[in-house]
Amino acid sequence: MNRDPDAAAEAAGGAFPEQYASHGVEPGEANQAVMHVPDATYRLQFRNGMDFAKAVELIPHFVSLGISHLYASPVFTAVEGSTHGYDVVDYNEIDPALGGEEGFRSLVAALKAQGLGIILDIVPNHMAAHLQNGWWHSVIEWGRASAHAGHFDIDWHQPLTLPFLGRCFEEELEAGAVRVAFDRGRNCLALDYSGALYPLHPESYGLVLEGAEPTVAKIAAIAAAAEPREADRFHSRLASLLQTPALMAALDTQLARVSTDRQRMQALHALQPWRLMDWRSARDHLSYRRFFEIAGLVGLRVEDPSVFADTHRLVLTLVREGLVDGLRVDHIDGLADPEQYLDRLRHAVGNRTFIVVEKILEAEEPLPPEWPVEGATGYEFISALAELLAEEEASDLWNGTSGAQAAAAIRECKLMLLRHNFHAEVTRLARLVEEESAGGRTAEAVRQLIAALPVYRTYVTDRGATARDRRIIEEIAARASDAAPAVQAEIEDVAAALLGDGAAQGEFRTRFQQLSGAVMAKAVEDTYFYRRGDYLAANEVGADPRWRPGGVRRFHAMMLRRASEMPKGLSATSTHDTKRGEDARARLHAIGEAPDLWATAVARWHEMNAAAIHCLPSGVTPEAAMEQFLYQSILGAWPVELIGQGSLPALRERMQAFAVKAAREAKLRTNWEEPDQHYEAAVTAFLAAVLDWRNRIFLDDFERVARPFIRAGLVNSLSQTLVKLTAPGIPDIYQGSERLDLSLVDPDNRRPFTPVSLSAEQPRSPTKGNFEDCKQWLIAECLRYRRQIGADLMRRGDYRPVAVEGPAARHAAAFLRQRAEECAITVVPRLVLGRLDETRLHVRPELWRDTALVWPEEGEPRQFQNLLTGKLIAARRRLPIGEIFGGFPVAFLIQA
């Protein structure tokens, strides 16, 4: 935890910064009230068929499951048809498509009536660069004079670039795809491109209306006198004037005539404070900060107090009214000064509001302790679980050179992105360091420094650099100089600028740090992890690409650190951003237990499907690495029960969509900018042939090989579920993952789900057939304990590793949660491939012979009861593992 409640209360209750209040941001009420920390959260993705009314219908399911807070995806008005809500167009309106503010208040009232709270996902880093965004529309219309120009992170040394054309402006104009039109929705003249109406600056109306009938020409006089601060009045005057049908017809005639005058259209375009461009040009020429490499999402300047006030007005109202209990801050690393933003947010919402941030923490990286938040959203917890589930002795996967090879590959991925996808951002950074160096040696120094950075970003500000950040910058300067000695002098200059003072250095430093996180995410998560196909379980958001499993010992070390530093952080296993569902990942971890078996099977399948590869119509074939990647991805999504002719088409369609996205992300044979249609057709045709019911030789063999991995994966799933529910942190359940979650990456993981009600008598001996019921029952039982008799222990209890001794010691892990005289023990099996009962999901008893859990020497043994079976465990120094696991594959021992 980064700030305890007392410290937070003191900070929030102190003198409120005058600059915040002067822009309409008031300090949070009831700053001394105790924060309502969630017991467990349920992440619900709105849109894609889910709205507030449907969420109300789910409340009985939430109650039966035992969660304390609904954790909602963004609910503010987004681009029409948005599937995720991160493309906000109005921060001060709850999306009417979801039910609007009335529907939201009804949902909250229904939640509160059942004792449940709500956490909202907010997006302060960016908005949609879309014409439905009124602020953005105003900036396009009025340029830098717009009242909202300062809201967006725009470089006004050049016209605003609008990279939304399919070809360059001249080609689109020549093809007749651009014309002048009157926007009847906004009451202004605009350039119409495929129905998108880009408003013209009023000063350019004269050129449009030159030569028009006198009755129409007077519109130019009105426009010439228009002022940005009176934009609404200007638009209203035009609307009133053009109510006359004859005048509207005359205007349409004039606009049609101008639209065919190529020279006048070119001149009109040149008069605007913006330039329409080919969308591909964004990589080389862009005048605004974007989210990652998405030109349709424009960066916001929330470091400006007035922008903070405008973008947070509604959400702060909802918090102060007591409707919203917590906030999840999206992409905190994109902000100019995350600490300043979070301080401002904490002052505004007060001490009682729960706040977590989406922050990717690399290995050994702490969440900045000065941030006034409860923790992160849980990707680091997924990395900790990998230590528990992965076979650390899989020499075929992990060798002495694998880490170095991965580091070299990541560096190349970063440099590729910096030279191509993020070329515009690098060029701008180079100009900030040295005006004449753009595109030259300083630009290369910037690339080499970002490529050498081992974390997403540093947090140097005008307030200075922490010792840690200073050390990181010095180390990457040394590594970058070794890698690129030809630009060593420039690397030293850029490193000095990162640590320097002054306005110029400040802007450079801010933009460098905002860019480095985007490059890390795109290079690792969205490039390298789609190229590496030998062990997909390790290819997850927040995972270290150089990772080598450390086993139970490292897992305990990570949990001890979590208990000390972030006990109120979310513990995630699936999210809307993870590369695959939690149960698919748990299954794929079992490959590390038998890499030879899997490699042999892949080689055999390659031969079986050779005809499918060599008979593709285009003559283009998927490479061996892609084939390996696909087989492992199929394993992750393969149904638990025997696949049938009826279920195969759905799996095939999902895999084909996933494969195209994966191939484009890998950026080897195809990509998003220039898709190779022949290659993508070859990949989808290969999957169509492989996953064809007539390909029974392969399907039967795949089913046979998959069976033990699937069964081991189900036990792994129960292990990771119990650990999530009882380890330090707040369990976070992604929608539908209370049951079997074999989803692929988005949008596959946003598919609609149907909750299932459990009967009073639930099966307590898991099999393949009842696994989903057992998993949901396990969650409900443990959350009931967390909410009732174990509430204080789970929230505040210490974490202590518990030793397991005996021949099978490496196949189990255990830890103790303790507070004063109260304690509970979690015990889970691991590395169970090939060690399970033939019919039930239980480890065969003989494995546990002479293997026991050892009670800590400094304490007296106690009698326990297994919460999951009801069985009493007598007080002894050595508790036999076989006795502990009797009746259920995982165990949670509470004091009897």
Side-chain angles (χ1 to χ4, degrees):
M1 182 173 63
N2 293 289
R3 182 174 294 180
D4 62 46
D6 293 337
E10 182 180 348
F16 192 69
E18 182 180 350
Q19 67 269 29
Y20 301 167
S22 65
H23 291 279
V25 178
E26 300 296 335
E29 297 177 3
N31 282 330
Q32 303 300 327
V34 176
M35 178 185 297
H36 184 195
V37 177
D39 293 317
T41 59
Y42 192 96
R43 172 72 180 200
L44 190 63
Q45 294 294 113
F46 285 102
R47 301 175 172 82
N48 302 297
M50 179 59 65
D51 58 20
F52 300 141
K54 289 186 175 65
V56 169
E57 296 174 3
L58 293 176
I59 291 176
H61 178 64
F62 300 154
V63 172
S64 67
L65 200 58
I67 62 106
S68 64
H69 287 70
L70 176 63
Y71 170 23
S73 66
V75 300
F76 301 104
T77 300
V79 172
E80 186 177 346
S82 173
T83 60
H84 48 76
Y86 290 93
D87 46 357
V88 177
V89 297
D90 190 345
Y91 284 106
N92 294 305
E93 178 183 64
I94 294 179
D95 204 329
L98 302 180
E101 186 167 338
E102 181 179 355
F104 179 76
R105 288 177 177 272
S106 295
L107 168 61
V108 172
L111 288 168
K112 302 289 186 187
Q114 296 297 324
L116 304 181
I118 187 168
I119 298 169
L120 282 191
D121 190 345
I122 60 173
V123 192
N125 178 70
H126 53 267
M127 288 186 84
H130 196 283
L131 292 165
Q132 292 175 15
N133 182 344
W135 295 352
W136 183 247
H137 189 278
S138 170
V139 171
I140 295 174
E141 182 173 26
W142 299 97
R144 197 170 188 176
S146 165
H148 303 291
H151 284 55
F152 301 106
D153 208 340
I154 300 171
D155 178 6
W156 286 109
H157 292 93
Q158 57 183 311
L160 175 64
T161 54
L162 300 176
F164 305 119
L165 302 182
R167 297 168 288 185
C168 70
F169 180 79
E170 291 73 20
E171 290 180 23
E172 295 287 11
L173 188 62
E174 188 64 31
V178 182
R179 66 185 186 91
V180 189
F182 184 75
D183 183 345
R184 287 169 170 79
R186 300 277 190 175
N187 295 309
C188 63
L189 294 180
L191 285 190
D192 182 346
Y193 173 71
S194 298
L197 297 165
Y198 295 92
L200 299 177
H201 195 290
E203 289 181 357
S204 68
Y205 280 30
L207 180 60
V208 176
L209 301 174
E210 186 178 304
E213 294 182 13
T215 53
V216 173
K218 65 181 181 180
I219 294 175
I222 295 173
E227 295 288 342
R229 65 178 181 274
E230 297 182 344
D232 290 344
R233 180 171 177 270
F234 165 60
H235 296 144
S236 295
R237 290 189 66 189
L238 291 188
S240 298
L241 185 65
L242 293 170
Q243 285 180 345
T244 305
L247 187 56
M248 191 71 244
L251 176 61
D252 286 340
T253 299
Q254 174 67 10
L255 299 183
R257 182 164 53 247
V258 172
S259 295
T260 61
D261 184 341
R262 301 287 178 263
Q263 187 173 357
R264 196 190 302 199
M265 289 288 284
Q266 289 272 22
L268 180 63
H269 185 231
L271 284 176
Q272 304 312 310
W274 43 264
R275 297 291 181 270
L276 282 169
M277 305 162 58
D278 182 344
W279 67 271
R280 298 170 189 83
S281 65
R283 65 180 183 239
D284 298 316
H285 187 200
L286 193 67
S287 65
Y288 59 87
R289 181 173 65 85
R290 54 187 170 164
F291 171 70
F292 288 3
E293 51 183 337
I294 303 174
L297 297 173
V298 56
L300 286 165
R301 298 182 61 254
V302 289
E303 63 270 24
D304 183 327
S306 63
V307 178
F308 178 93
D310 283 350
T311 54
H312 290 70
R313 185 169 293 110
L314 177 55
V315 73
L316 294 182
T317 296
L318 298 175
V319 170
R320 288 171 187 146
E321 288 185 21
L323 297 175
V324 171
D325 304 285
L327 301 173
R328 180 254 195 198
V329 181
D330 181 67
H331 191 45
I332 191 68
D333 277 348
L335 305 187
D337 188 342
E339 182 186 352
Q340 179 200 62
Y341 168 83
L342 292 170
D343 279 340
R344 184 172 290 153
L345 182 64
R346 177 57 77 191
H347 274 287
V349 301
N351 161 49
R352 65 187 299 175
T353 304
F354 178 80
I355 302 176
V356 289
V357 292
E358 184 197 32
K359 165 63 187 168
I360 309 300
L361 297 166
E362 295 300 312
E364 306 296 324
E365 181 185 8
L367 192 68
E370 59 273 14
W371 288 4
V373 300
E374 279 53 68
T377 53
Y379 292 112
E380 70 291 336
F381 187 76
I382 297 175
S383 297
L385 287 173
E387 306 292 353
L388 187 68
L389 300 178
E391 168 60 270
E392 60 268 36
E393 297 179 5
S395 58
D396 289 350
L397 290 173
W398 327 111
N399 55 55
T401 62
S402 57
Q405 291 170 346
I410 293 301
R411 179 176 181 275
E412 288 306 310
C413 289
K414 282 187 170 185
L415 290 173
M416 178 268 293
L417 288 164
L418 287 161
R419 288 170 179 150
H420 184 77
N421 304 54
F422 293 104
H423 177 69
E425 285 84 353
V426 171
T427 299
R428 185 178 182 185
L429 282 170
R431 287 192 181 122
L432 288 171
V433 175
E434 186 178 346
E435 196 66 35
E436 298 179 359
S437 70
R441 296 169 63 85
T442 302
E444 183 60 18
V446 168
R447 295 186 194 102
Q448 293 293 338
L449 280 165
I450 291 178
L453 194 63
V455 293
Y456 269 59
R457 62 167 287 175
T458 52
Y459 300 96
V460 186
T461 67
D462 292 341
R463 299 182 298 277
T466 63
R468 180 178 178 276
D469 281 345
R470 187 173 294 276
R471 183 181 68 254
I472 289 173
I473 291 170
E474 291 170 352
E475 288 174 353
I476 65 171
R479 283 198 294 270
S481 295
D482 289 343
V487 290
Q488 180 176 353
E490 288 77 11
I491 288 171
E492 292 173 354
D493 289 343
V494 172
L498 286 171
L499 295 169
D501 298 323
Q505 289 90 341
E507 182 180 359
F508 168 79
R509 179 176 59 238
T510 295
R511 302 203 178 284
F512 180 98
Q513 293 178 131
Q514 288 174 308
L515 175 61
S516 68
V519 173
M520 175 73 93
K522 297 304 294 181
V524 178
E525 298 165 21
D526 292 341
T527 303
Y528 179 68
F529 281 167
Y530 286 100
R531 295 180 177 184
R532 185 174 71 178
D534 55 350
Y535 191 65
L536 296 189
N539 295 357
E540 194 48 87
V541 178
D544 183 350
R546 300 156 300 180
W547 173 74
R548 179 172 181 163
V552 175
R553 183 184 298 273
R554 190 185 294 163
F555 168 77
H556 285 318
M558 295 174 77
M559 288 299 100
L560 285 166
R561 189 163 60 248
R562 185 174 183 81
S564 172
E565 298 175 0
M566 200 163 48
K568 295 178 184 176
L570 297 186
S571 298
T573 42
S574 289
T575 77
H576 61 291
D577 279 333
T578 44
K579 299 304 180 188
R580 50 195 45 82
E582 61 188 56
D583 298 318
R585 189 186 320 111
R587 177 185 298 177
L588 294 176
H589 269 302
I591 288 178
E593 299 180 58
D596 290 341
L597 173 65
W598 180 257
T600 300
V602 169
R604 186 169 64 251
W605 298 332
H606 176 75
E607 295 300 321
M608 286 181 181
N609 295 316
I613 295 174
H614 297 304
C615 295
L616 295 173
S618 65
V620 179
T621 61
E623 65 276 26
M626 171 56 85
E627 192 179 355
Q628 179 189 37
F629 183 93
L630 291 176
Y631 288 136
Q632 206 166 133
S633 299
I634 293 170
L635 174 63
W638 198 261
V640 169
E641 298 298 337
L642 289 173
I643 196 164
Q645 187 172 3
S647 57
L648 195 58
L651 175 63
R652 181 169 59 241
E653 290 175 10
R654 290 173 58 209
M655 286 303 308
Q656 287 175 320
F658 166 75
V660 170
K661 176 171 181 172
R664 290 182 180 181
E665 295 286 18
K667 306 171 186 67
L668 292 173
R669 300 280 296 275
T670 185
N671 58 59
W672 293 105
E673 285 190 1
E674 298 176 355
D676 185 327
Q677 302 296 341
H678 293 298
Y679 177 74
E680 293 178 5
V683 171
T684 55
F686 169 73
L687 286 167
V690 166
L691 298 176
D692 188 307
W693 189 246
R694 293 167 294 183
N695 190 19
R696 293 305 301 276
I697 295 177
F698 164 74
L699 293 175
D700 289 346
D701 192 57
F702 191 91
E703 180 88 37
R704 178 185 61 80
V705 173
R707 284 301 100 197
F709 291 107
I710 288 173
R711 299 182 77 246
L714 295 176
V715 175
N716 282 348
S717 296
L718 294 175
S719 291
Q720 75 175 1
T721 299
L722 180 59
V723 169
K724 175 171 76 172
L725 297 168
T726 58
I730 297 169
D732 175 39
I733 301 165
Y734 184 72
Q735 62 177 35
S737 68
E738 64 270 31
R739 299 184 72 77
L740 188 68
D741 181 8
L742 300 179
S743 58
L744 300 160
V745 74
D746 70 282
D748 191 70
N749 61 9
R750 293 199 297 266
R751 289 173 296 152
F753 72 101
T754 302
V756 175
S757 298
L758 299 180
S759 63
E761 292 296 326
Q762 288 306 313
R764 299 195 180 186
S765 183
T767 64
K768 287 191 306 177
N770 66 23
F771 168 80
E772 291 190 285
D773 286 349
C774 284
K775 182 183 178 184
Q776 183 171 332
W777 173 83
L778 172 64
I779 292 170
E781 284 297 299
C782 290
L783 291 186
R784 185 177 298 110
Y785 172 82
R786 288 184 65 102
R787 194 172 61 252
Q788 296 175 1
I789 62 174
D792 190 56
L793 177 63
M794 290 291 104
R795 289 178 184 174
R796 300 178 179 85
D798 294 335
Y799 178 94
R800 297 183 62 184
V802 176
V804 179
E805 295 180 353
R810 65 189 306 268
H811 292 283
F815 59 82
L816 177 82
R817 299 299 304 279
Q818 184 170 21
R819 180 170 173 81
E821 295 303 311
E822 186 180 6
C823 67
I825 301 176
T826 295
V827 193
V828 295
R830 61 187 296 267
L831 310 180
V832 299
L833 182 70
R835 298 176 172 88
L836 299 177
D837 183 86
E838 291 299 322
T839 58
R840 303 180 306 156
L841 296 176
H842 288 261
V843 176
R844 292 193 294 270
E846 58 266 26
L847 177 67
W848 304 124
R849 188 175 296 121
D850 299 325
T851 301
L853 181 152
V854 182
W855 185 260
E857 291 184 3
E858 62 273 21
E860 284 299 317
R862 305 176 189 183
Q863 179 173 270
F864 287 95
Q865 183 177 32
N866 189 337
L867 181 70
L868 309 180
T869 64
K871 182 178 180 180
L872 291 175
I873 307 293
R876 283 168 286 177
R877 284 285 175 190
R878 295 177 64 85
L879 303 179
I881 293 293
E883 180 181 341
I884 291 173
F885 284 146
F888 203 81
V890 298
F892 185 47
L893 309 181
I894 63 174
Q895 286 181 246

